[in-house]
Amino acid sequence: KNNVEQLQRLATASSLSYLEMTTNMKKSPYFDPRKLIPLSQVVDPATKSGATIFLDQGDDHENPSLVIACRGSANLKNFATNLNLKLVPSNKLPGSPENGKVHNGFQQAASGLWKYLAPELDAALLKTQAAAKKTKPGNEISQTPIVFTGHSLGAATALLCAVLCAKRSDEDETPRRLTEVVTFGGPLLCDKNLAKYITEKALEHCQITHLIHNADPILANNKPLWDQLGFVNTGNELHCDPYGPTVYDENELSSLPNNGKKLAWNVLDHCNYLGVFMGPRLIV
């Protein structure tokens, strides 16, 4: 059974990633430094894709993790990235199969973002490990878990940045402890060959969960096109309520009226997951 409270916390991180860290983020009603502490925020100047690194202190503050929340579409460059949907060779993802193909815009956004995100992640890992050694002197310190998350475009860049993170870990003497990728309202982003590589090799020890709901018009309207172009799913889909902290397994979904299916028409429903709004907005 998925930990709904943890999923909602990742939804909150995905929401906060849309806000500037040193100003608007702290004014958001979702901001709670007792749970999520923003450590760093980066933007790739070329693709305008962005991400925020949070320290998730957990329920007991005993087992912190690092959450990398990749921001969804917030500017014209981001929307152009979404529309650059041709499947192209995944040559910016080291180790991927020669016959693997990926959404062109998402690959460019993720590879551009990772150049700026990787050193910030390294710094955050060193900082959290040093803090753990101070609080638990003499004890063996385990590696800090790393979770990637994101909404919409950020879901796509989160998954691909996780692949880049895992590959870098394989090449380093001290591998990073990448444990989960959790996305909200994310698009399909690759063909079956790359999907197989991601799930069975690159992220084989990492749980990949995509939260979706039937009222999301972006997913409902684009799925026929994605299917036609040869995009496939990567990981496990989990249905949730857009307006509250509820997730459904297959049996629970089938017991809902009309099997949980709804008329997906309101574009704002693409921004609502587990009772958390995710998207660009003004905070005053």
Side-chain angles (χ1 to χ4, degrees):
K1 194 74 173 181
N2 290 85
N3 184 333
V4 178
E5 185 176 342
Q6 172 64 6
L7 292 175
Q8 198 171 38
R9 189 147 56 219
L10 294 176
T12 299
S14 296
S15 175
L16 291 173
S17 72
Y18 281 91
L19 303 175
E20 207 282 325
M21 189 177 84
T22 59
T23 54
N24 288 346
M25 186 182 293
K26 295 179 180 179
K27 299 177 184 177
S28 169
Y30 296 136
F31 183 74
D32 185 352
R34 293 170 300 176
K35 296 180 179 179
L36 292 168
I37 301 175
L39 301 179
S40 180
Q41 191 172 65
V42 297
V43 175
D44 170 31
T47 66
K48 302 299 182 185
S49 53
T52 306
I53 301 175
F54 294 91
L55 177 66
D56 181 352
Q57 302 197 85
D59 297 328
D60 54 10
H61 289 209
E62 290 292 324
N63 299 292
S65 61
L66 288 178
V67 174
I68 294 90
C70 295
R71 172 177 47 73
S73 299
N75 51 65
L76 291 177
K77 189 75 172 180
N78 295 157
F79 288 108
T81 293
N82 295 328
L83 296 175
N84 187 6
L85 47 68
K86 182 180 179 181
L87 278 171
V88 299
S90 52
N91 50 24
K92 295 184 183 296
L93 302 175
S96 63
E98 291 184 2
N99 61 349
K101 292 188 176 183
V102 64
H103 184 292
N104 192 26
F106 297 156
Q107 177 172 232
Q108 292 180 15
S111 60
L113 177 60
W114 180 244
K115 289 187 296 185
Y116 296 89
L117 183 57
E120 294 295 325
L121 176 56
D122 288 343
L125 283 169
L126 288 173
K127 185 177 180 179
T128 54
Q129 291 295 102
K133 289 178 181 178
K134 285 185 178 180
T135 57
K136 299 178 181 179
N139 294 338
E140 183 177 346
I141 305 300
S142 61
Q143 292 175 320
T144 305
I146 300 171
V147 180
F148 279 84
T149 191
H151 166 253
S152 196
L153 166 63
T157 52
L159 180 56
L160 294 179
C161 281
V163 172
L164 292 166
C165 180
K167 180 60 179 175
R168 179 169 173 174
S169 298
D170 289 342
E171 296 169 349
D172 287 354
E173 292 182 4
T174 53
R176 290 153 188 77
R177 188 182 167 200
L178 181 56
T179 58
E180 275 190 287
V181 177
V182 177
T183 73
F184 302 89
L188 302 186
L189 56 79
C190 64
D191 72 348
K192 63 181 181 181
N193 299 313
L194 186 59
K196 181 179 176 67
Y197 165 75
I198 291 174
T199 56
E200 297 183 7
K201 190 171 182 181
L203 300 179
E204 63 176 322
H205 301 300
C206 179
Q207 182 175 339
I208 305 172
T209 305
H210 304 295
L211 276 89
I212 61 173
H213 62 71
N214 289 326
D216 187 329
I218 303 299
L219 300 187
N221 294 331
N222 282 289
K223 190 170 188 317
L225 176 61
W226 293 333
D227 291 343
Q228 180 184 346
L229 294 175
F231 289 85
V232 301
N233 189 34
T234 307
N236 301 309
E237 288 188 342
L238 180 64
H239 285 260
C240 71
D241 191 293
Y243 305 116
T246 304
V247 296
Y248 305 103
D249 61 27
E250 290 301 319
N251 291 331
E252 291 169 332
L253 195 64
S254 62
S255 68
L256 295 175
N258 201 26
N259 293 326
K261 293 181 180 179
K262 300 178 181 179
L263 182 62
W265 63 274
N266 186 349
V267 70
L268 288 180
D269 282 333
H270 178 59
C271 301
N272 289 305
Y273 275 80
L274 296 174
V276 177
F277 179 85
M278 306 176 198
R281 66 270 196 195
L282 292 174
I283 303 287
V284 294

